Amino acid sequence: SGFQEGKDYKLQANELAKENYYSVFGLGSSAYPKFAAFGQHLDDCYNILGFNRILSFAAGDALKDQKGSFKKWLKKMYNSSLKVMEVEAPVSYLDNASGKKRYKWTMSNKNQSKSLNDSLSESHGKDIQEFTLTKK
């Protein structure tokens, strides 16, 4: 019967949902009354269908560093996904995630007493000449 087919389909959909994970980052602008409403709607739908949420819904505001908010969320999402899938992060990611910036510093033994014209000439590879305006 049609009812039984629908019931079977619903069971298959529920089994599929149990095997899938999600997280939603909504985009929008707080200048509008329904800020990130579509993203929130997607999050609610996945939840109702029984999908496994990795992170709570988050939104980025176009008026308040949307790109920065997304980068923070993406890092959390990546780390949470690794935990859910029971996978170790690649060594290259762990090195970069430490937050330590590696700078290479070198000592310069250049003569500090060069004139501005000599320095500009050396920097641009062209002869620099100084002129004085005598009349307007």
Side-chain angles (χ1 to χ4, degrees), residues 48-93:
I48 290 168
L49 290 171
F51 285 73
N52 299 297
R53 180 182 281 141
I54 295 176
L55 290 178
S56 298
F57 174 75
D61 189 346
L63 301 177
K64 297 178 185 170
D65 190 25
Q66 189 175 64
K67 188 175 183 179
S69 298
F70 178 73
K71 284 182 177 181
K72 287 177 187 174
W73 175 84
L74 187 60
K75 187 174 181 179
K76 285 182 191 176
M77 180 61 188
Y78 182 75
N79 291 327
S80 298
S81 297
L82 291 174
K83 288 177 186 172
V84 166
M85 293 185 288
E86 299 175 354
V87 175
E88 277 191 42
V91 175
S92 60
Y93 175 77

Coordinates of all heavy atoms in Angstrom, one line a residue, residues 48-93:
I48 N 15.2 18.8 12.7 CA 14.0 18.1 12.7 C 14.1 16.7 12.0 O 13.5 15.7 12.4 CB 12.9 19.0 12.0 CG1 12.5 20.1 12.9 CG2 11.6 18.1 11.7 CD1 11.7 21.2 12.2
L49 N 14.9 16.7 10.9 CA 15.1 15.4 10.2 C 15.9 14.4 10.9 O 16.0 13.3 10.5 CB 15.7 15.7 8.8 CG 14.8 16.5 7.8 CD1 15.6 16.9 6.6 CD2 13.6 15.6 7.4
G50 N 16.6 14.9 12.0 CA 17.3 13.9 12.8 C 18.8 13.9 12.5 O 19.5 12.9 13.0
F51 N 19.3 14.8 11.7 CA 20.8 14.8 11.4 C 21.5 15.1 12.7 O 21.0 15.7 13.6 CB 21.1 15.8 10.3 CG 20.7 15.4 8.9 CD1 19.4 15.3 8.5 CD2 21.7 15.0 8.0 CE1 19.0 14.9 7.3 CE2 21.3 14.6 6.8 CZ 20.0 14.5 6.4
N52 N 22.8 14.7 12.7 CA 23.6 15.0 13.9 C 24.3 16.3 13.8 O 25.1 16.5 12.9 CB 24.7 13.9 14.0 CG 24.0 12.5 14.2 OD1 23.4 12.3 15.2 ND2 24.2 11.6 13.2
R53 N 24.0 17.2 14.7 CA 24.6 18.5 14.7 C 26.0 18.5 15.3 O 26.3 17.9 16.4 CB 23.8 19.5 15.6 CG 24.3 20.9 15.6 CD 23.5 21.8 16.5 NE 22.3 22.2 15.8 CZ 21.1 22.3 16.3 NH1 20.9 22.1 17.5 NH2 20.1 22.7 15.6
I54 N 27.0 19.1 14.6 CA 28.3 19.2 15.1 C 28.5 20.4 15.9 O 29.0 20.4 17.1 CB 29.4 19.2 13.9 CG1 29.3 17.8 13.2 CG2 30.8 19.4 14.4 CD1 30.1 17.7 12.0
L55 N 28.1 21.5 15.4 CA 28.2 22.8 16.1 C 26.8 23.5 16.1 O 26.0 23.3 15.2 CB 29.2 23.8 15.5 CG 30.6 23.5 15.6 CD1 31.4 24.5 14.8 CD2 31.1 23.4 17.0
S56 N 26.5 24.3 17.1 CA 25.3 25.1 17.1 C 25.3 26.1 16.0 O 26.4 26.5 15.5 CB 25.2 25.8 18.4 OG 25.1 24.9 19.5
F57 N 24.2 26.5 15.6 CA 24.0 27.5 14.5 C 24.8 28.8 14.9 O 24.8 29.2 16.0 CB 22.6 27.9 14.3 CG 22.4 29.0 13.3 CD1 22.5 28.8 12.0 CD2 22.1 30.3 13.8 CE1 22.3 29.8 11.1 CE2 21.9 31.3 12.9 CZ 22.0 31.1 11.5
A58 N 25.5 29.3 13.9 CA 26.3 30.5 14.0 C 26.0 31.4 12.8 O 25.7 30.9 11.8 CB 27.8 30.2 14.2
A59 N 26.2 32.7 13.0 CA 25.9 33.6 11.9 C 26.9 34.7 11.8 O 27.5 35.1 12.8 CB 24.5 34.3 12.1
G60 N 27.2 35.1 10.6 CA 28.1 36.2 10.3 C 27.3 37.4 9.9 O 26.5 37.4 9.0
D61 N 27.6 38.6 10.5 CA 26.9 39.8 10.2 C 27.8 40.6 9.2 O 29.0 40.9 9.5 CB 26.7 40.6 11.5 CG 25.8 41.8 11.3 OD1 25.6 42.2 10.1 OD2 25.4 42.3 12.3
A62 N 27.2 41.0 8.1 CA 28.0 41.8 7.1 C 28.4 43.1 7.7 O 29.4 43.7 7.2 CB 27.1 42.0 5.9
L63 N 27.8 43.6 8.7 CA 28.1 44.9 9.3 C 29.1 44.7 10.5 O 29.6 45.7 11.0 CB 26.9 45.6 9.8 CG 25.8 45.9 8.8 CD1 24.6 46.5 9.5 CD2 26.3 46.8 7.7
K64 N 29.5 43.5 10.8 CA 30.4 43.3 12.0 C 31.4 42.1 11.7 O 31.3 41.1 12.3 CB 29.5 42.9 13.2 CG 28.6 44.0 13.7 CD 27.8 43.5 14.9 CE 26.7 44.6 15.2 NZ 25.8 44.1 16.2
D65 N 32.3 42.3 10.8 CA 33.4 41.4 10.5 C 32.9 40.0 10.2 O 33.2 39.0 10.8 CB 34.4 41.4 11.6 CG 35.6 40.6 11.2 OD1 36.0 40.5 10.0 OD2 36.3 40.1 12.1
Q66 N 32.0 39.9 9.2 CA 31.5 38.6 8.7 C 32.6 37.6 8.4 O 32.5 36.4 8.8 CB 30.6 38.8 7.5 CG 29.8 37.6 7.1 CD 28.8 38.0 6.0 OE1 29.3 38.4 4.9 NE2 27.5 37.9 6.2
K67 N 33.6 38.1 7.7 CA 34.7 37.2 7.3 C 35.5 36.6 8.6 O 35.8 35.5 8.6 CB 35.7 37.9 6.4 CG 36.7 37.1 5.8 CD 37.6 37.9 4.8 CE 38.6 37.1 4.1 NZ 39.4 37.9 3.1
G68 N 35.7 37.5 9.5 CA 36.4 37.1 10.8 C 35.6 36.1 11.5 O 36.1 35.1 12.0
S69 N 34.2 36.3 11.6 CA 33.3 35.4 12.3 C 33.4 34.0 11.6 O 33.4 33.0 12.2 CB 31.9 35.9 12.3 OG 31.8 37.1 13.0
F70 N 33.4 34.0 10.3 CA 33.4 32.8 9.5 C 34.7 32.0 9.7 O 34.7 30.8 9.9 CB 33.2 33.0 8.0 CG 33.2 31.7 7.2 CD1 32.2 30.8 7.3 CD2 34.3 31.4 6.4 CE1 32.2 29.7 6.5 CE2 34.4 30.3 5.7 CZ 33.3 29.4 5.8
K71 N 35.8 32.7 9.8 CA 37.1 32.1 10.0 C 37.1 31.4 11.3 O 37.6 30.3 11.5 CB 38.2 33.1 9.8 CG 38.5 33.4 8.4 CD 39.7 34.4 8.3 CE 40.1 34.7 6.9 NZ 41.2 35.5 6.8
K72 N 36.6 32.1 12.4 CA 36.6 31.5 13.7 C 35.7 30.2 13.7 O 36.0 29.2 14.3 CB 36.1 32.5 14.7 CG 37.1 33.6 15.1 CD 36.5 34.6 16.0 CE 37.4 35.7 16.2 NZ 36.8 36.8 17.1
W73 N 34.5 30.4 13.1 CA 33.6 29.2 13.0 C 34.2 28.1 12.3 O 34.1 26.9 12.7 CB 32.3 29.7 12.4 CG 31.3 28.6 12.2 CD1 30.4 28.1 13.1 CD2 31.1 27.8 11.0 NE1 29.7 27.0 12.5 CE2 30.1 26.8 11.3 CE3 31.7 27.8 9.7 CZ2 29.7 25.9 10.3 CZ3 31.3 26.8 8.8 CH2 30.3 25.9 9.1
L74 N 34.9 28.4 11.2 CA 35.4 27.3 10.3 C 36.5 26.5 11.1 O 36.6 25.3 11.0 CB 36.0 27.9 9.1 CG 36.6 27.0 8.0 CD1 35.4 26.1 7.5 CD2 37.2 27.8 6.9
K75 N 37.3 27.2 11.9 CA 38.3 26.6 12.7 C 37.7 25.6 13.7 O 38.1 24.5 13.9 CB 39.2 27.6 13.4 CG 40.4 27.0 14.1 CD 41.3 28.1 14.6 CE 42.5 27.5 15.3 NZ 43.4 28.5 15.8
K76 N 36.6 26.1 14.4 CA 35.9 25.3 15.3 C 35.3 24.1 14.6 O 35.3 23.0 15.1 CB 34.8 26.1 16.0 CG 35.2 27.1 17.1 CD 34.0 27.7 17.7 CE 34.4 28.9 18.5 NZ 33.2 29.6 19.0
M77 N 34.7 24.4 13.5 CA 34.0 23.3 12.7 C 35.0 22.2 12.3 O 34.8 21.0 12.4 CB 33.4 23.9 11.5 CG 32.6 22.9 10.6 SD 31.3 22.1 11.5 CE 30.9 20.9 10.3
Y78 N 36.2 22.6 11.8 CA 37.2 21.7 11.4 C 37.7 20.8 12.6 O 37.7 19.6 12.5 CB 38.4 22.4 10.8 CG 39.5 21.5 10.3 CD1 39.4 20.8 9.1 CD2 40.7 21.4 11.1 CE1 40.4 20.0 8.7 CE2 41.7 20.5 10.6 CZ 41.5 19.9 9.4 OH 42.5 19.0 9.0
N79 N 38.0 21.4 13.7 CA 38.4 20.7 14.9 C 37.3 19.8 15.4 O 37.6 18.6 15.8 CB 38.9 21.6 16.0 CG 40.1 22.4 15.6 OD1 41.0 21.8 14.9 ND2 40.3 23.6 16.1
S80 N 36.1 20.2 15.5 CA 35.0 19.4 15.9 C 34.7 18.2 15.0 O 34.4 17.1 15.4 CB 33.7 20.3 16.0 OG 33.9 21.3 17.0
S81 N 34.8 18.5 13.7 CA 34.6 17.4 12.7 C 35.7 16.3 12.9 O 35.4 15.1 12.8 CB 34.7 18.0 11.3 OG 33.7 18.9 11.0
L82 N 36.9 16.7 13.2 CA 38.0 15.7 13.4 C 37.6 14.8 14.6 O 37.8 13.6 14.5 CB 39.3 16.4 13.6 CG 39.9 17.1 12.4 CD1 41.2 17.9 12.8 CD2 40.2 16.1 11.3
K83 N 37.1 15.5 15.6 CA 36.7 14.7 16.8 C 35.6 13.7 16.5 O 35.6 12.6 16.9 CB 36.3 15.6 18.0 CG 37.5 16.4 18.6 CD 37.1 17.3 19.6 CE 38.3 18.2 20.1 NZ 37.9 19.2 21.0
V84 N 34.6 14.2 15.8 CA 33.4 13.4 15.5 C 33.8 12.2 14.7 O 33.3 11.1 14.9 CB 32.3 14.3 14.8 CG1 31.3 13.4 14.1 CG2 31.7 15.2 15.7
M85 N 34.7 12.4 13.7 CA 35.1 11.4 12.8 C 36.2 10.5 13.4 O 36.7 9.6 12.8 CB 35.5 11.9 11.4 CG 34.3 12.6 10.7 SD 34.8 13.1 9.0 CE 35.8 14.6 9.4
E86 N 36.7 10.9 14.6 CA 37.8 10.2 15.2 C 39.0 10.2 14.3 O 39.6 9.1 14.1 CB 37.4 8.9 15.7 CG 36.2 8.9 16.7 CD 35.7 7.6 17.1 OE1 36.1 6.6 16.6 OE2 34.8 7.5 18.0
V87 N 39.4 11.3 13.8 CA 40.5 11.4 12.9 C 41.5 12.4 13.5 O 41.1 13.4 14.1 CB 40.1 11.9 11.5 CG1 41.3 12.2 10.6 CG2 39.1 11.0 10.9
E88 N 42.8 12.2 13.4 CA 43.8 13.1 13.8 C 44.1 14.2 12.8 O 44.1 13.9 11.6 CB 45.1 12.4 14.1 CG 45.2 11.7 15.5 CD 46.6 11.2 15.8 OE1 47.6 11.9 15.5 OE2 46.7 10.1 16.3
A89 N 44.3 15.4 13.3 CA 44.6 16.5 12.4 C 46.0 16.3 11.8 O 46.9 15.7 12.4 CB 44.6 17.8 13.2
P90 N 46.2 16.7 10.5 CA 47.5 16.6 9.9 C 48.5 17.4 10.7 O 48.2 18.4 11.2 CB 47.3 17.2 8.5 CG 45.8 17.2 8.3 CD 45.2 17.3 9.7
V91 N 49.7 16.9 10.7 CA 50.8 17.6 11.4 C 51.0 19.1 10.9 O 51.1 20.0 11.7 CB 52.1 16.8 11.2 CG1 53.3 17.6 11.9 CG2 52.0 15.5 11.8
S92 N 50.8 19.3 9.6 CA 51.0 20.6 9.1 C 49.9 21.6 9.7 O 50.2 22.7 9.9 CB 50.9 20.6 7.5 OG 49.6 20.1 7.1
Y93 N 48.7 21.1 9.9 CA 47.6 21.9 10.5 C 48.0 22.2 11.9 O 47.8 23.3 12.4 CB 46.3 21.2 10.4 CG 45.2 21.9 11.1 CD1 44.6 23.0 10.5 CD2 44.8 21.5 12.4 CE1 43.6 23.7 11.2 CE2 43.8 22.2 13.0 CZ 43.2 23.3 12.4 OH 42.2 24.0 13.1

